[in-house]
Every structure is written in C-alpha cells, then in structure tokens.
Amino acid sequence: MPEIKQELIKRRHSVTLPKFTSQYAQLKTNNKRHRESTKNKIKHDLIKHYFKIIGNNDAVLVVNENRNGIENYIGGNSLIEMAFAHVL
C-alpha cells in the first residue's frame, strides 16, 4: 500500500492509508497483524473514523492481494469500506 500511495501522490491524488499500515507491515506473522489490527479497530473506533474519511473523498481504492491462499482476498473491513463508499 505505501508504494501505491506514492504512485498516486505522483499523479496528484490525495491519499489516506489505513491507520497503522506501517506498523502492521513490520509485524512478522499474519496472526500478530490480525491481533493488533483488531485491538486498534476497537481502541481507536476505526470503522467510524473511516466512514467519515470516505464521506469526504471521491473514491476508495481497495488493494486486494492474495492472502492465505485466497486469490484477490477482500477482508471484512474492506468490504465494509466498499459498502460505505457505495452508499455515500
């Protein structure tokens, strides 16, 4: 995601990455990332946070890479954010 962000900025887009993206990228296992992600979603009320951000933007770009053997994986939060964007 950080690489995609840089490419979009070069093209003069404003970009908001999910909070803690850099920290998650440094964690060694998906299990650790998932535990940290869940903790942060609750602690920082991230679903409402992203709802507000999505409402103030023109588009959502979902990066759906392969995960756990699932091609083009879309997780629960990405699905929620896509639904927010669709409804808004």
Side-chain angles (χ1 to χ4, degrees):
M1 281 191 268
E3 293 86 9
I4 294 168
K5 176 184 178 177
Q6 292 309 312
E7 183 60 35
L8 290 169
I9 288 172
K10 285 181 194 174
R11 296 173 187 217
R12 298 194 173 149
H13 293 282
S14 175
V15 179
T16 302
L17 286 183
K19 283 189 174 227
F20 309 104
T21 297
S22 297
Q23 293 93 322
Y24 296 153
Q26 295 174 18
L27 296 174
K28 302 292 182 213
T29 66
N30 280 336
N31 192 33
K32 273 189 169 179
R33 285 185 199 116
H34 180 71
R35 274 197 312 274
E36 284 301 305
S37 175
T38 300
K39 180 178 77 175
N40 284 325
K41 286 173 199 163
I42 294 166
K43 182 177 179 181
H44 300 281
D45 203 8
L46 292 182
I47 291 176
K48 285 183 185 174
H49 171 77
Y50 292 125
F51 179 79
K52 291 175 187 173
I53 289 174
I54 291 166
N56 290 322
N57 285 281
D58 297 324
V60 171
L61 174 65
V62 175
V63 178
N64 58 327
E65 296 181 343
N66 299 344
R67 181 174 174 195
N68 298 330
I70 301 170
E71 191 171 331
N72 298 314
Y73 178 84
I74 296 177
N77 283 334
S78 295
L79 182 61
I80 289 169
E81 292 163 7
M82 290 166 32
F84 287 162
H86 175 75
V87 170
L88 293 169

